[in-house]
Each structure stands twice: as structure tokens, then as C-alpha cells.
Amino acid sequence: MKPTATIYTSAFCPVCGMVKSFLDSLEIPYKEVNIDMNPIAMIQLITRARRLSVPQTNINGKLISGFNPEKIMQALND
């Protein structure tokens, strides 16, 4: 089963770009949700993560804060 990934991002977030580049290097497709002008996505992120910080990466239901290659790899392999 192929992993599904969603990255909650903001336009001015350099760390968001690091997560996207990392997933691109692994050829993992992802959906990007920019919360800047999307209040519904922002509320969903706050509800799920209990904080408003980006990037938040959801891989197969596991939420990973920031750029954490080890946790990303672990979630991809679960």
C-alpha cells in the first residue's frame, strides 16, 4: 500500500520547503494544504495538531511536526 501524505504549509515557511523536498527525493506523492488563506484548513490543523505551527505532515494518519526525517521515514515504513 502506497503511503498517503498531506503537508500543512504556509507561504513564508522555509522548513515547509525542506519537508516537500525530502518527500520529493523519496518520490512520495503528497497533497499540500496552504493554511494562509484557508481558515477551514487552519481550524482542522489546530484541532488535529493542538497547535498552529507548520509544517505539519500527516503520513498514513501519523502527524509529524516540523522537519524530522527519522519520524517521516518511520511513518512511511509503518
Side-chain angles (χ1 to χ4, degrees), residues 4-75:
T4 59
T6 301
I7 308 170
Y8 291 89
T9 66
S10 177
F12 301 105
C13 170
V15 179
C16 297
M18 293 169 63
V19 172
K20 293 189 291 184
S21 293
F22 185 70
L23 291 177
D24 286 339
S25 73
L26 298 173
E27 297 181 356
I28 302 297
Y30 57 85
K31 175 184 173 186
E32 181 177 0
V33 179
N34 187 305
I35 63 167
D36 290 334
M37 302 301 284
N38 189 339
I40 293 171
M42 187 181 299
I43 290 168
Q44 290 172 337
L45 176 61
I46 293 169
T47 301
R48 175 97 166 105
R50 306 262 187 224
R51 68 179 80 159
L52 179 60
S53 64
V54 289
Q56 295 289 332
T57 307
N58 184 336
I59 299 175
N60 296 331
K62 294 183 181 180
L63 200 60
I64 301 159
S65 298
F67 178 58
N68 190 326
E70 287 180 27
K71 285 187 178 180
I72 290 172
M73 292 301 295
Q74 183 179 13

